[in-house]
Amino acid sequence: MLARQGRGSFESDVFSFGVLAFQLLTGRMPYESAPILKLLQGAPLPRIEAFSDALPDLPAPLRQVLDAALAIAPEDRPTAADIARALGANTPDAQGVAPLRSLAALQRW
């Protein structure tokens, strides 16, 4: 995690993607704001709202991978390939994943 490691990583990129996706899909941040200086000094992140709570109608495979992207522990986050599969990217190991075929599926809200 960037605030604790002092540098970026693939895991911190996935977390940032999760935060951005949450904000784009809900219009709000997945956590109450916290002073950035405290976060950089190692203070714990505030409670993070799950996609499954905020957007229960989101297709399950996408909701699950986005919830995992917001995991506090970096080792619990999906890889970028996992996210790409959930979004419907053509990857060799995407068998068995029900991807989101278009953003039109998100327009039910």
Side-chain angles (χ1 to χ4, degrees), residues 32-68:
E32 294 179 21
S33 63
I36 190 69
L37 185 57
K38 287 187 178 191
L39 291 175
L40 292 173
Q41 292 172 342
L45 283 172
R47 181 192 173 280
I48 294 177
E49 183 178 1
F51 276 89
S52 51
D53 294 334
L55 301 168
D57 293 333
L58 199 64
L62 182 59
R63 187 177 62 239
Q64 291 165 351
V65 77
L66 292 175
D67 275 340

Side-chain angles (χ1 to χ4, degrees), residues 7-19:
R7 64 187 190 288
S9 67
F10 293 119
E11 293 84 4
S12 65
D13 289 346
V14 167
F15 183 81
S16 296
F17 174 81
V19 170

Side-chain angles (χ1 to χ4, degrees), residues 82-96:
D82 294 333
I83 294 171
R85 277 192 302 280
L87 292 172
N90 289 329
T91 58
D93 55 350
Q95 296 176 357

